[in-house]
Amino acid sequence: MAKMNLDFNKNEDAMKLLISKMERRLQDIHLGGGEKKINKQHAKGKMTARERIDYLIDDPETFFEIGAFCAYGMYEEHGGAPAAGVVIGIAKIAGRQCVIVANDATVKAGAWFPMTGKKNLRAQEIALENRLPIIYLVDSAGVFLPLQDEIFPDKEHFGRIFRNNAILSSEGIPQIAAIMGSCVAGGAYLPIMSDESIIVDGTGSIFLAGPYLVKAAIGEQVDKETLGGAKTQTEISGVCDYNVPDDETALDTIKDLVSKFGSFDKAGFNREEPKPPSKPESELLCLYPEESTSPYDMEELLKRMVDDSKLTFYKKNYGQTIICAYARIDGWSVGIVANDRKLVKNAKGEMQFGGVIYSDSADKATRFIMNCNQKKIPLVFFHDVTGFMVGTRSEHGGIIKDGAKMVNAVSNSTVPKFTVVIGNSYGAGNYAMCGKAFDPRQIVAWPTAKIAVMGGTQAAKVLAQIQMSSSKAKGEAPDEKAEKELIDKIKSRYDDQTTAYYAAARLWVDAIIHPLDTRKFISQGIEAANNAPIKKFNPGVIQT
């Protein structure tokens, strides 16, 4: 018991340090371009992006921010781009869940970096999948020209946003845009392809080419207000619908418009009165081990997240390295697929390593996923997976075939999927457990998450073996010192690239969250998904 308490204390200390680091980094990100740029925004009578969102939404505490760490550690040669210069997330406006996109003009005047484009596309994807209205708070100088070749012409670049504007409208999903600063060049299409547009007098402007470009192109001398200010675009061109005097009135107008929306049909996911876990949620911070390679009991973690700590296990004693269970989270019925990290014995008395997917566990998960589809129960995946089992016995037993069945079931699943990366998420295990490539409605990570094709140590040893074999083939004598240096170098690089921050910077995950916010994340996600009825119920044919 004393050793267990000591382990719990060490685990809790390690987790709290990681959470503290995350929160400090978030505080810096929330400052955007810094205090001077914020003061400059205020001096113009403008709110910052985050102030606009706080004013607009019903409760700032419930704002689920997506991509706060987007572009983290990237574009340093250009001065960095905190949150990729745009704040996006999901929250309620006038009681209605909406996606919100707000350019941060304190970051390079709200210019679009490559990751800004990717982040905006993610916001539109979430709105489309969940049939959520989307609100754009526009304040941007346009494409960041030094990187224009990385954002302009490709399928997932800047232009895709306007294509999505059209698709969202065709699906009947409301879009409202408020022009609260600059809106120039191709970016001008976004608010005007929305259903309704608002422009702030004196600070808002919209045009295909600004005064400098007009002078250079056709020699015409014109000021910004005459060219595309609020009076011009609401009284002369009719491009915009509402002329308002300030940021607050623009945001109040959005609230008023949203309050009058009709409602869509619901998907009809089952929900009862929410109950807190009967086991202390705070123990989530103690149960995950300080060393990510150490075994632990995933079941105990889950009992700190589900209502009344109650799990109804599917095939509990079969394929034990994956837990499949029905439960409720904040009242919502869910099907849980989670990697168990305990060492277990199978029916043959053979030891199975925790966190590894074996043929029997893949088979169990496949059948469970199909059952959840049949019963219209959303799926929640909890990752701590090192991959599928390898070696002669596994290959002879058909691990590739069984893994393919699971991947097939995940790919063709028609109920919404949500993914929480708790620990390791390596190789094909990431795919089978519904990593980003498999379209989870939302995917988040704990600060302890690691995402890569394999762990740093394994990758270093594999690459070192290949290099040493090459040297041996050339007749060169083995050099143990050089081999160790190579392993250390590769491991260091891999360790940097497997962190939750590296993944979040590239939007491989939507957010890094505090473990105690896991229930809230899943509940808000299912509430959003409930706005989009399921049109297809067959999760695909799984070859046996």
Side-chain angles (χ1 to χ4, degrees):
M1 181 63 72
K3 183 181 184 305
M4 183 177 290
N5 288 336
L6 180 62
D7 287 342
F8 272 30
N9 290 338
K10 285 174 64 181
N11 294 343
E12 184 178 26
D13 289 345
M15 182 66 85
K16 284 183 173 178
L17 280 172
L18 290 173
I19 292 167
S20 177
K21 179 192 287 186
M22 177 187 75
E23 290 174 343
R24 286 196 306 273
R25 290 178 174 179
L26 279 173
Q27 286 174 1
D28 290 340
I29 287 167
H30 288 172
L31 287 173
E35 293 286 357
K36 286 184 179 179
K37 295 289 179 66
I38 291 171
N39 293 337
K40 189 176 178 181
Q41 190 92 334
H42 289 162
K44 294 177 181 177
K46 296 164 68 177
M47 294 173 160
T48 65
R50 293 183 184 278
E51 288 167 347
R52 288 166 175 166
I53 291 172
D54 283 351
Y55 184 93
L56 178 64
I57 64 180
D58 296 350
D59 180 4
E61 293 296 316
T62 64
F63 181 59
F64 172 54
E65 184 171 355
I66 294 162
F69 284 101
C70 184
Y72 183 79
M74 301 170 70
Y75 312 125
E76 295 301 320
E77 68 274 27
H78 300 290
V86 63
V87 184
I88 71 172
I90 302 172
K92 287 184 178 177
I93 301 170
R96 179 69 171 264
Q97 231 178 2
C98 297
V99 175
I100 302 156
V101 179
N103 299 116
D104 186 349
T106 70
V107 180
K108 294 286 191 293
W112 288 63
F113 287 77
M115 288 305 301
T116 316
K118 186 172 182 179
K119 190 170 173 179
N120 275 262
L121 290 171
R122 179 66 180 133
Q124 291 180 318
E125 180 182 42
I126 289 169
L128 191 59
E129 285 183 329
N130 299 290
R131 295 191 65 81
L132 294 181
I134 184 165
I135 312 299
Y136 307 100
L137 307 180
V138 183
D139 194 346
S140 171
V143 167
F144 186 64
L145 292 177
L147 298 174
Q148 64 84 26
D149 63 318
E150 297 179 40
I151 190 172
F152 170 63
D154 211 343
K155 182 178 178 180
E156 294 188 348
H157 285 177
F158 193 61
R160 186 78 171 183
I161 291 163
F162 315 132
R163 175 263 188 194
N164 287 351
N165 282 138
I167 298 297
L168 285 157
S169 287
S170 75
E171 291 287 335
I173 298 169
Q175 300 176 85
I176 297 174
I179 302 158
M180 310 179 83
S182 296
C183 184
V184 63
Y189 287 109
L190 184 147
I192 307 312
M193 291 187 73
S194 298
D195 301 303
E196 293 182 281
S197 61
I198 301 158
I199 186 167
V200 179
D201 193 18
T203 55
S205 60
I206 178 169
F207 29 63
L208 288 181
Y212 294 125
L213 185 52
V214 168
K215 177 76 182 295
I218 63 173
E220 181 184 352
Q221 187 87 35
V222 63
D223 65 84
K224 188 167 70 170
E225 280 299 309
T226 303
L227 184 64
K231 190 177 179 69
T232 295
Q233 300 293 25
T234 56
E235 297 180 18
I236 299 173
S237 70
V239 162
C240 297
D241 305 310
Y242 305 91
N243 181 351
V244 297
D246 50 39
D247 280 11
E248 287 86 351
T249 309
L251 299 169
D252 287 336
T253 303
I254 293 171
K255 293 180 191 181
D256 180 58
L257 293 172
V258 172
S259 73
K260 295 176 172 62
F261 286 172
S263 59
F264 295 126
D265 293 337
K266 300 293 184 184
F269 301 127
N270 183 275
R271 192 180 196 187
E272 293 184 352
E273 187 68 28
K275 296 178 183 177
S278 59
K279 296 200 171 188
E281 286 183 74
S282 60
E283 291 181 358
L284 280 177
L285 308 185
C286 310
L287 290 167
Y288 188 83
E290 181 181 10
E291 294 294 330
S292 63
T293 53
S294 300
Y296 66 93
D297 192 340
M298 176 64 83
E299 182 181 328
E300 291 302 316
L301 272 181
L302 296 176
K303 285 180 177 178
R304 271 78 179 171
M305 290 186 274
V306 303
D307 290 17
D308 205 27
S309 299
K310 184 180 178 183
L311 295 155
T312 302
F313 294 98
Y314 175 77
K315 293 182 182 288
K316 183 172 185 178
N317 297 317
Y318 175 73
Q320 294 180 66
T321 63
I322 285 185
I323 293 171
C324 295
Y326 300 105
R328 291 190 181 275
I329 293 179
D330 198 35
W332 294 104
S333 170
V334 296
I336 291 172
V337 181
N339 306 112
D340 203 353
R341 286 294 303 275
K342 295 193 305 286
L343 289 169
V344 296
K345 274 188 180 179
N346 63 18
K348 299 175 183 176
E350 301 163 332
M351 292 302 299
Q352 292 188 330
F353 298 102
V356 178
I357 302 176
Y358 291 78
S359 284
D360 54 357
S361 44
D363 176 67
K364 176 172 82 171
T366 299
R367 294 170 185 273
F368 181 72
I369 289 165
M370 294 176 72
N371 285 347
C372 288
N373 274 267
Q374 187 72 15
K375 295 185 279 191
K376 203 160 73 170
I377 298 174
L379 285 157
V380 185
F381 294 81
F382 290 94
H383 286 218
D384 200 342
V385 58
T386 53
F388 284 88
M389 191 58 190
V390 297
T392 306
R393 177 177 292 183
S394 292
E395 297 294 356
H396 290 181
I399 187 66
I400 296 174
K401 172 171 58 71
D402 293 316
K405 293 177 192 175
M406 185 174 173
V407 169
N408 190 328
V410 172
S411 302
N412 286 299
S413 178
T414 59
V415 295
K417 301 166 292 198
F418 301 88
T419 299
V420 183
V421 185
I422 288 177
N424 304 311
S425 185
Y426 293 154
N430 171 276
Y431 300 160
M433 292 295 293
C434 196
K436 183 64 183 287
F438 288 78
D439 293 329
R441 291 292 176 95
Q442 274 121 53
I443 175 171
V444 296
W446 285 10
T448 44
K450 295 179 180 179
I451 301 173
V453 70
M454 64 179 71
T457 301
Q458 294 93 327
K461 288 180 178 178
V462 168
L463 291 171
Q465 285 176 30
I466 292 169
Q467 185 152 327
M468 292 303 119
S469 295
S470 176
S471 298
K472 187 177 179 182
K474 295 174 185 175
E476 298 171 3
D479 186 336
E480 291 184 7
K481 182 181 177 184
E483 183 178 0
K484 185 181 183 307
E485 288 176 353
L486 179 63
I487 288 173
D488 291 344
K489 181 180 177 182
I490 295 168
K491 183 179 182 302
S492 176
R493 187 177 80 245
Y494 257 77
D495 287 347
D496 288 341
Q497 293 177 352
T498 59
T499 66
Y501 297 101
Y502 193 91
R506 289 150 183 83
L507 279 182
W508 300 345
V509 296
D510 292 319
I512 305 173
I513 65 168
H514 193 302
L516 298 182
D517 288 335
T518 306
R519 274 172 59 85
K520 182 170 73 173
F521 152 71
I522 294 167
S523 178
Q524 287 181 319
I526 298 175
E527 183 180 1
N530 200 38
N531 289 288
I534 296 171
K535 298 176 182 177
K536 174 184 171 186
F537 290 93
N538 180 9
V541 177
I542 309 299
Q543 185 180 10
T544 56

